[in-house]
Amino acid sequence: METQTLEQLYASHFNAKPQFIVRAPGRVNLIGEHTDYNDGFVLPMAIDRAVWIALSPRADSQIRIHSLDLEVDSAFDLDSLTKGEGWAEYPKAIANQLLKRGYKLIGFDAVMTGDVPRGAGLSSSAAVELAIARAFAVISGFAWDAPKMARIAQKAENEWVGVNVGIMDQMASAACKKGNALFLDCRSLEIQHAPLPKGVSVVILDTSTRRGLVDSAYNERRNQCEEAARWFGVKALRDVSVDEFEGKIKREKLDEIVLKRARHIVTENARVLEAVQVMKAGNVKRLGELFNASHNSLRDDFEVTNEALNQIVECAQEQSSCYGARMTGAGFGGCAVALVKEENTQEFTNTVSAAYRQRSGLDASIYVCQASEGASVIQG
Ligand code: GLA
């Protein structure tokens, strides 16, 4: 989005020039799925699709936001926040968390727009949350602390919106660096920026199937993981190694479903740690194998793929230019991600589109994405 276009859109709505423009990206998770709420490891990257907000301060405690995409206005007062319905719950939820923690907020007028597809597993809600948090920070004059703001956004979603999500999406949107993936320890929130390998495209394969998080089996998976952690006698499944897992399940009986869920988490954490090493060493072939193994584990053990995801991943894996492919995000629909030889990207896209249409009868959206910068002030 051109800042000039956004300025014009703001001007046509509020008859003035906006003082600031902020941006927060969506993300694609390279590997480490459903590990975040198990205190484990993840490796997402911010994508070049984002939410933008142009804004100016107000003299009172009103927040007025015009959504350009939905063509609706929303207004609320920081002094009397009440729950309602719709997209404006995200800004309210962020304001509520910031106020609870003693941040002094001032009102603003804003226009907002975005191009992260909703419900696709690319974290459109985290992008809205972090863009709003960035807007509050710049307009109210407090420092941007990425992990702190990510925690606030996660809490906002847990408590106000009612989805028990982990910390990955918010951290990716808050803290990523251009050209890098983010290796995150979800227990300590320690981060390392991991440069992406050269000569490889990160390709997003959107199945065009969707499933909402709220009524999905997300919270159920979370409970099963917690049950498994209790069985192992640890705080979270992050504390169980692959060897410990295998040893104990040989000796003692664990419910079959809970065992499968735990096996995914334990092996996925090991895959993320290896992925970071092989990425550093430039071993893209092995990185691709880890992608494939992750997908199989999500399909067979964690059971969060759907047919469309399995089909599109198979179509991708069948191409010789593809190092590896897997579903990404919460699952049950949405997107997969593939690592593809850069010089063959166009051919890969065309072949996979056609093969997927033939196999599933559905049209995919396939695009190469660049690793972008986390939430930032881009003007003002
Ligand atoms: C959603 C949640 C994240 C994470 C992923 C699965 O995107 O918001 O916290 O749990 O699912 O890896």
Side-chain angles (χ1 to χ4, degrees):
M1 168 70 54
E2 296 285 331
T3 54
Q4 223 183 340
T5 320
L6 208 54
E7 272 185 359
Q8 281 162 4
L9 291 165
Y10 182 92
S12 67
H13 208 77
F14 292 109
N15 266 324
K17 205 173 165 317
Q19 199 168 327
F20 301 103
I21 297 180
V22 298
R23 169 194 181 275
R27 64 99 189 93
V28 62
N29 188 21
L30 296 180
I31 195 160
E33 219 62 85
H34 289 273
T35 44
D36 63 348
Y37 53 82
N38 290 289
D39 277 1
F41 305 103
V42 292
L43 190 66
M45 69 178 222
I47 58 174
D48 44 355
R49 290 186 172 226
V51 167
W52 289 265
I53 301 176
L55 71 158
S56 291
R58 289 175 58 91
D60 57 19
S61 54
Q62 285 283 313
I63 303 289
R64 293 197 303 176
I65 309 172
H66 176 71
S67 161
L68 292 163
D69 309 318
L70 303 174
E71 291 185 11
V72 288
D73 289 304
S74 162
F76 59 90
D77 196 316
L78 291 168
D79 293 337
S80 55
L81 291 173
T82 48
K83 275 196 192 174
E85 292 212 335
W87 65 275
E89 295 315 294
Y90 289 102
K92 276 194 231 166
I94 298 290
N96 174 54
Q97 284 295 330
L98 288 168
L99 290 169
K100 267 214 272 198
R101 286 168 168 78
Y103 287 89
K104 299 267 173 290
L105 304 183
I106 60 170
F108 61 74
D109 286 332
V111 296
M112 177 164 109
T113 185
D115 62 0
V116 189
R118 264 173 294 157
L122 300 176
S123 296
S124 58
S125 32
V128 172
E129 291 158 11
L130 271 302
I132 292 287
R134 199 72 194 84
F136 273 123
V138 73
I139 212 121
S140 309
F142 58 85
W144 183 252
D145 178 325
K148 219 186 223 170
M149 289 301 140
R151 273 278 185 240
I152 283 173
Q154 180 202 15
K155 275 271 165 298
E157 192 154 340
N158 293 164
E159 288 175 16
W160 193 284
V161 187
V163 190
N164 217 359
V165 293
I167 191 68
M168 168 171 68
D169 306 346
Q170 287 75 15
M171 273 300 280
S173 186
C176 275
K177 287 271 160 270
K178 199 172 176 199
N180 287 268
L182 184 83
F183 172 43
L184 169 66
D185 178 335
C186 298
R187 174 170 279 167
S188 65
L189 294 198
E190 212 174 285
I191 59 179
Q192 266 176 48
H193 300 289
L196 287 165
K198 301 258 173 293
V200 182
S201 303
V202 176
V203 181
I204 291 180
L205 312 155
D206 187 340
T207 59
S208 79
T209 61
R210 297 284 181 266
R211 173 127 185 206
L213 265 190
V214 185
D215 55 3
S216 78
Y218 186 89
N219 288 345
E220 185 195 39
R221 294 296 184 284
R222 218 184 147 131
N223 294 335
Q224 290 163 335
C225 291
E226 282 161 14
E227 190 184 332
R230 282 193 296 274
W231 188 79
F232 281 100
V234 293
K235 184 163 174 275
L237 284 177
R238 135 76 175 271
D239 299 310
V240 180
S241 70
V242 175
D243 287 346
E244 284 161 356
F245 174 85
E246 278 166 4
K248 189 162 160 90
I249 62 157
K250 258 187 218 140
R251 295 189 306 270
E252 291 168 48
K253 182 131 184 62
L254 175 60
D255 172 83
E256 184 61 23
I257 298 278
V258 178
L259 182 151
K260 284 178 17 162
R261 305 298 187 248
R263 183 165 56 208
H264 166 71
I265 300 301
V266 169
T267 57
E268 184 79 349
N269 274 326
R271 281 187 288 272
V272 179
L273 295 177
E274 190 183 346
V276 174
Q277 293 312 316
V278 299
M279 220 162 91
K280 265 191 203 141
N283 187 349
V284 190
K285 187 170 167 284
R286 180 66 192 147
L287 186 59
E289 287 166 6
L290 293 167
F291 269 44
N292 295 342
S294 167
H295 184 80
N296 293 345
S297 175
L298 287 156
R299 183 193 59 205
D300 303 335
D301 276 347
F302 218 61
E303 296 178 288
V304 289
T305 65
N306 66 355
E307 208 189 345
L309 280 166
N310 294 333
Q311 287 169 327
I312 212 159
V313 163
E314 279 161 27
C315 293
Q317 288 170 345
E318 282 161 17
Q319 310 308 310
S320 57
S321 56
C322 179
Y323 293 104
R326 55 180 291 278
M327 62 147 270
T328 185
F332 310 106
C335 292
V337 58
L339 290 178
V340 180
K341 246 183 222 148
E342 202 169 26
E343 68 257 35
N344 300 112
T345 309
Q346 191 55 52
E347 181 202 332
F348 170 87
T349 304
N350 298 343
T351 319
V352 172
S353 291
Y356 176 68
R357 189 175 307 117
Q358 206 188 19
R359 218 163 285 188
S360 66
L362 297 170
D363 281 319
S365 304
I366 303 187
Y367 40 88
V368 177
C369 68
Q370 310 298 334
S372 84
E373 185 76 17
S376 39
V377 177
I378 54 175
Q379 190 170 299

